C-alpha cells in the first residue's frame, strides 16, 4: 500500500511498479527474482529471465521485509542504489537501470547493523526519507477503517457480497492488542469471511483471543471505581 500510493502520486506513475517480499522467497531464489538470470546460470535456468527490478525500469519497486535479505544480495542492492546498475545471475555484463526503491521492514535495521547482519552503507542509502509506522495497538483509531477495507476485499475475493459485520462485532477489534499487526488483522478478517456460516458474523465467530481480551478489559473496568483508582 505504501509503495503503490507513493508511486501513484509521483512523476513515475505512468511507469511500472513492482513488489517483492524479501522474507517470502527462499534465499537461493531471491537474487534471481530481484535481478534476473541468464540461461544456464543454474540448474533449471532454461532461458533468460528479467528480475522484478529490471521489469520496473523507469518506475518503482516496493521491497518489503528488506531486513530479511541476506548479506550477499545486499551487496548487489547497494550497487543498484549507488551505480544504478545490476548484474544478472550468471552474467558479468552490467545493465543500467532507473528504478526508485521503497523499502519496508518490521525489524530494527540499526540494531542489525550493529550485529553485523545488515550492511551499514546500505542502511544509510535506504534511510533517505524514513517513515516510522507505529504498531496497530498504538493507532486504535485506524482499526475500524482497516477492518472495513479488509472485509470488503475479502467479501469480493470469496464471492460473499451479502455477508455483514455488525458494529457490535466490529468493536471487539479495537480492544485487542494485535501482536501480528496488519497481517494478523487481514488474515483474521479473511478467515471470518471464509468460515462464516450465516450471512452475519457473530461475536461467537471471533477467535478466543479477541473475545477473552475484551472480557478481561470489561472485568477490570467493572472492578474499578468511577475515577479509575482502587480504594
Amino acid at each position: 500500500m505504501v509503495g503503490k500510493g507513493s508511486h501513484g502520486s509521483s512523476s513515475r506513475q505512468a511507469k511500472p511498479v513492482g513488489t517483492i517480499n524479501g522474507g517470502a522467497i527462499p534465499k537461493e531464489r531471491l537474487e534471481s527474482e530481484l535481478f534476473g538470470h541468464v540461461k544456464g546460470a543454474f540448474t533449471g535456468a532454461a532461458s533468460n529471465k528479467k528480475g522484478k527490478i529490471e521489469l520496473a525500469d523507469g518506475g518503482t519497486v516496493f521491497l518489503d521485509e528488506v531486513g530479511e535479505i541476506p548479506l550477499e544480495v545486499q551487496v548487489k542492492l547497494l550497487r543498484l542504489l549507488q551505480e544504478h546498475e545490476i548484474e544478472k545471475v550468471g552474467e558479468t555484463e552490467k545493465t543500467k537501470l532507473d528504478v526508485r526503491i521503497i523499502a519496508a521492514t518490521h525489524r530494527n535495521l540499526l540494531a542489525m547493523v550493529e550485529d553485523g547482519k545488515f550492511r551499514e552503507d546500505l542502511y544509510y542509502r535506504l534511510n533517505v526519507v524514513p517513515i516510522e509506522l507505529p504498531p496497530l495497538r498504538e493507532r486504535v483509531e485506524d482499526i475500524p477503517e482497516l477492518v472495513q477495507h479488509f472485509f470488503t476485499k475479502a467479501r469480493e475475493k470469496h464471492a460473499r457480497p451479502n455477508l455483514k459485520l455488525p458494529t457490535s462485532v466490529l468493536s471487539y477489534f479495537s480492544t485487542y492488542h494485535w501482536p501480528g499487526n496488519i497481517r494478523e488483522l487481514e488474515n483474521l478478517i479473511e478467515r471470518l469471511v471464509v468460515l462464516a456460516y450465516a450471512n452475519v458474523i457473530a461475536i461467537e465467530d471471533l477467535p478466543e483471543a479477541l473475545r477473552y481480551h475484551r472480557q478481561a478489559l470489561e472485568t477490570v473496568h467493572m472492578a474499578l471505581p468511577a475515577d479509575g483508582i482502587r480504594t
Side-chain angles (χ1 to χ4, degrees):
M1 293 173 64
V2 175
K4 291 182 179 180
S6 301
H7 177 79
S9 59
S10 75
S11 59
R12 296 173 181 262
Q13 59 182 301
K15 300 295 184 177
V17 57
T19 60
I20 191 165
N21 188 315
I25 300 173
K27 292 182 179 180
E28 60 271 15
R29 283 183 44 210
L30 182 58
E31 185 177 356
S32 172
E33 289 293 322
L34 280 171
F35 305 106
H37 64 254
V38 296
K39 181 178 179 181
F42 51 83
T43 303
S47 61
N48 294 344
K49 175 186 175 182
K50 291 184 177 181
K52 290 288 184 71
I53 291 174
E54 187 175 2
L55 290 171
D57 189 22
T60 302
V61 171
F62 176 51
L63 186 54
D64 199 6
E65 298 297 356
V66 68
E68 308 301 321
I69 294 179
L71 288 167
E72 58 270 22
V73 180
Q74 292 178 28
V75 175
K76 301 189 76 168
L77 185 58
L78 178 64
R79 182 186 298 136
L80 169 68
L81 295 172
Q82 290 186 160
E83 309 298 336
H84 306 289
E85 63 185 23
I86 63 168
E87 185 178 306
K88 298 177 183 178
V89 179
E91 186 177 58
T92 56
E93 185 178 338
K94 308 295 190 298
T95 301
K96 285 286 185 179
L97 296 174
D98 174 25
V99 178
R100 180 178 59 172
I101 300 292
I102 298 178
T105 183
H106 73 286
R107 293 185 176 275
N108 184 333
L109 291 185
L110 200 53
M112 292 183 67
V113 168
E114 294 174 355
D115 292 338
K117 296 179 180 178
F118 199 85
R119 292 183 62 98
E120 183 177 25
D121 44 10
L122 178 58
Y123 170 79
Y124 286 113
R125 278 288 178 178
L126 291 171
N127 197 36
V128 178
V129 183
I131 300 174
E132 185 173 348
L133 191 62
L136 203 52
R137 62 181 176 275
E138 293 181 11
R139 47 194 178 102
V140 178
E141 67 278 2
D142 293 340
I143 292 178
E145 187 174 350
L146 287 168
V147 170
Q148 292 292 356
H149 169 73
F150 291 136
F151 183 61
T152 300
K153 179 180 175 182
R155 284 194 312 179
E156 293 175 354
K157 177 180 178 180
H158 299 285
R160 302 202 62 177
N162 298 322
L163 188 62
K164 292 180 172 50
L165 181 66
T167 304
S168 58
V169 177
L170 179 61
S171 64
Y172 276 71
F173 290 87
S174 296
T175 57
Y176 184 58
H177 58 291
W178 298 107
N181 285 306
I182 296 291
R183 288 186 179 87
E184 182 183 7
L185 176 62
E186 183 175 13
N187 290 339
L188 172 58
I189 294 295
E190 183 163 11
R191 184 162 70 246
L192 289 172
V193 170
V194 170
L195 298 179
Y197 179 74
N199 278 333
V200 179
I201 293 177
I203 293 174
E204 292 73 24
D205 295 326
L206 297 175
E208 292 183 357
L210 264 71
R211 288 186 280 120
Y212 288 169
H213 191 75
R214 170 68 172 268
Q215 292 167 5
L217 289 176
E218 291 175 345
T219 301
V220 170
H221 179 73
M222 293 175 62
L224 294 174
D227 60 3
I229 301 175
R230 289 186 179 276
T231 57

